[in-house]
Amino acid sequence: MERGAAEFATGLLPAILDGFSKMEGYVARNIAIELYAVKEEPLFPPDYSGPTIATAITQAATRYADSASLVSRYSLIATTYFHETPNALSFAPSANEILDVVDLLLQLEVGSKACSALVKRIMSANLVIKPRYVQENLASVFSGLVDDYGDLDCFRRIIQKFLIGWKDRVLGNPPQSLDSEVANLRRWTCSCEHCEPARSFLINDPEREISMTRIGAVNRRHVEAQIQAYAPSTATYDTISTSPQGLRITKSKVWTNYVRWHATFKLGPTILKSVAPDEQSLKHVLGKHYDVITGALRVPGNTTASLTVPIASASTQQQGRPRPSGELPPAKRQKTSIK
């Protein structure tokens, strides 16, 4: 036994530790599970003072969290076999896959390092500004964590990391006040079929550019006149030389950041509601971070809310899309188990 322990301590374990940086996620997962199964066994010689099994489990779990596929298997099937056209979220981290990874991390009893690696991936900057990703994916992650791990301290730490990351890296500090630009847009009241989507884009859409194709020269000039009158410092425009003509509208960088911040800010209540159904429960989950997190996600600022017009943005329209006949519905998630 001592010979086997010595070989494990001086040969196998160092080789495992050295290989994690280039290891595939599924391999790291399997190694973490195997090591966890023997963590209580006497695998080391009496005088051993090197890395522990717990260290190896944490490193394997961190590698898994950092490299495991988080794309929904149903999105992969729908786009690969049923030829559904991919959209912006087709290959985004899905709630079920994220929760499967969280299940394993919690069962392996790893520390915050592995969870931080997962949080970093989920909080990808090009996704967290998309309302649909927040409403359909992140909110489902929070709800799933509440349902499965609501009584665990480690669950609360994961949620706190999510929300602190959201506050710091996604929402950030409020933008500078743009009162005169807001006042000008409020005076734009034309409700024609071309002004409404143009105004809605300027006010509600976090994207920077929109193309209004083939609206015709008369309508193009009309919308341009409205922009000149009510949004001269917030947007520029140019003609799309088709027949009939179209119009391309581009927000200024400052105004884009302003609209994007407020669009993101409005998602705060959705996130907090998915974490806890009432204020007392929310305080329990957020602990010492309650004031900082809720203060950032709830403080009313100089918002564009009063400018909102009843025109659905592209992301809102996509939420209600019919499922293609070949697309499989999401399956009910089964909790991962290493027992």
Side-chain angles (χ1 to χ4, degrees):
M1 180 64 186
E2 289 186 5
R3 179 181 177 184
E7 290 176 350
F8 177 81
T10 60
L12 181 57
L13 185 59
I16 291 174
L17 292 171
D18 288 342
F20 282 138
S21 63
K22 298 180 180 179
M23 193 173 289
E24 295 287 346
Y26 74 93
V27 177
R29 174 187 182 277
N30 292 340
I31 289 177
I33 292 172
E34 292 296 329
L35 290 175
Y36 184 83
V38 298
K39 68 174 184 173
E40 303 298 337
E41 296 184 14
L43 299 176
F44 301 106
D47 59 346
Y48 178 77
S49 60
T52 65
I53 291 293
T55 298
I57 293 172
T58 298
Q59 290 193 22
T62 301
R63 178 59 185 168
Y64 172 59
D66 198 39
S67 57
S69 174
L70 300 178
V71 178
S72 165
R73 68 201 71 175
Y74 299 101
S75 290
L76 292 174
I77 292 172
T79 55
T80 303
Y81 296 105
F82 296 111
H83 308 296
E84 179 189 349
T85 302
N87 59 49
L89 298 184
S90 290
F91 304 110
S94 75
N96 280 353
E97 306 302 324
I98 293 168
L99 288 168
D100 283 348
V101 176
V102 172
D103 283 345
L104 185 63
L105 297 183
L106 293 179
Q107 291 182 68
L108 291 172
E109 303 176 90
V110 294
S112 60
K113 183 179 178 182
C115 292
S116 296
L118 179 63
V119 169
K120 183 178 180 180
R121 295 179 65 192
I122 297 168
M123 302 299 283
S124 169
N126 66 330
L127 288 171
V128 290
I129 64 168
K130 299 181 184 297
R132 202 174 147 209
Y133 176 69
V134 174
Q135 292 164 349
E136 296 181 13
N137 296 32
L138 285 187
S140 296
V141 170
F142 298 141
S143 297
L145 288 172
V146 171
D147 292 341
D148 292 345
Y149 302 111
D151 295 329
L152 299 180
D153 287 336
C154 53
F155 146 80
R156 286 189 283 276
R157 289 194 292 272
I158 291 173
I159 288 289
Q160 290 162 12
K161 283 182 178 293
F162 272 116
L163 296 186
I164 290 171
W166 172 270
K167 176 184 74 70
D168 293 342
R169 298 197 297 273
V170 180
L171 186 60
N173 295 322
Q176 68 184 77
S177 175
L178 297 175
D179 291 343
S180 60
E181 287 83 354
V182 170
N184 283 339
L185 279 168
R186 191 175 288 120
R187 289 193 287 270
W188 184 355
T189 58
C190 178
S191 58
C192 75
E193 63 176 314
H194 303 294
C195 277
E196 282 195 349
R199 187 172 65 249
S200 178
F201 161 71
L202 290 177
I203 294 167
N204 302 320
D205 197 322
E207 299 299 328
R208 190 172 184 187
E209 184 180 283
I210 188 175
S211 294
M212 304 177 68
T213 58
R214 300 182 182 278
I215 62 175
V218 173
N219 294 320
R220 174 185 62 76
R221 287 193 292 269
H222 170 68
V223 176
E224 289 176 351
Q226 301 298 303
I227 294 174
Q228 288 177 342
Y230 303 112
S233 61
T234 60
T236 58
Y237 52 83
D238 58 277
T239 301
I240 299 174
S241 300
T242 55
S243 182
Q245 292 179 348
L247 178 66
R248 182 181 296 105
I249 304 173
T250 305
K251 294 174 189 161
S252 70
K253 184 176 180 179
V254 171
W255 183 253
T256 299
N257 292 338
Y258 182 85
V259 173
R260 186 169 289 175
W261 187 90
H262 286 290
T264 305
F265 176 78
K266 291 175 186 177
L267 298 173
T270 299
I271 295 174
L272 293 177
K273 187 70 174 178
S274 69
V275 170
D278 56 69
E279 207 64 22
Q280 196 60 37
S281 300
L282 190 62
K283 289 181 179 179
H284 174 66
V285 172
L286 300 185
K288 66 181 181 180
H289 302 291
Y290 171 83
D291 289 336
V292 172
I293 292 173
T294 58
L297 271 63
R298 286 178 175 167
V299 173
N302 177 17
T303 88
T304 58
S306 60
L307 299 175
T308 302
V309 292
I311 297 294
S313 68
S315 59
T316 302
Q317 292 169 346
Q318 289 172 358
Q319 290 182 45
R321 67 179 176 85
R323 181 180 290 119
S325 59
E327 184 177 340
L328 295 174
K332 185 176 180 179
R333 192 178 77 90
Q334 301 295 319
K335 288 182 63 176
T336 301
S337 176
I338 61 175
K339 303 302 183 185

